[in-house]
């Protein structure tokens, strides 16, 4: 990949808030924005992963069932 193409792609990522840039002399250093990347990936998975929503509901139901069973056992 050529340097101009790489710079262009990094600029797109910077505009999206996924990376930050810092100019040091004649070079530009790029680094990931961890918080933004995590949130972006989570949002992507929540919207496009067909399994994530049902699993969350199922996990909540299991936790609720266990909680009620523990209450019944301690009485």
């Amino acid at each position: 990949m050529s340097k101009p193409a790489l710079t262009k792609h990094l600029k797109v990522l910077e505009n999206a808030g996924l990376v930050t840039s810092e100019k040091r002399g004649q070079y530009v250093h790029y680094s990931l924005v961890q918080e933004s990347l995590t949130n972006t990936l989570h949002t992507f998975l929540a919207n496009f992963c067909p399994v994530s929503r049902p699993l969350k509901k199922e996990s909540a139901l299991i936790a609720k069932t266990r909680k009620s069973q523990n209450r019944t056992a301690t009485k």
Side-chain angles (χ1 to χ4, degrees), residues 7-24:
T7 301
K8 183 178 179 180
H9 283 86
L10 285 169
K11 194 68 174 169
V12 169
L13 293 173
E14 185 177 21
N15 290 337
L18 299 175
V19 298
T20 59
S21 66
E22 178 184 344
K23 186 159 180 152
R24 296 183 196 165

Side-chain angles (χ1 to χ4, degrees), residues 54-74:
L55 287 178
K56 288 180 183 179
K57 289 178 184 176
E58 184 179 354
S59 296
L61 180 62
I62 290 170
K64 187 177 179 180
T65 304
R66 286 183 182 166
K67 200 175 205 179
S68 66
Q69 288 174 350
N70 288 340
R71 286 183 192 162
T72 307
T74 57

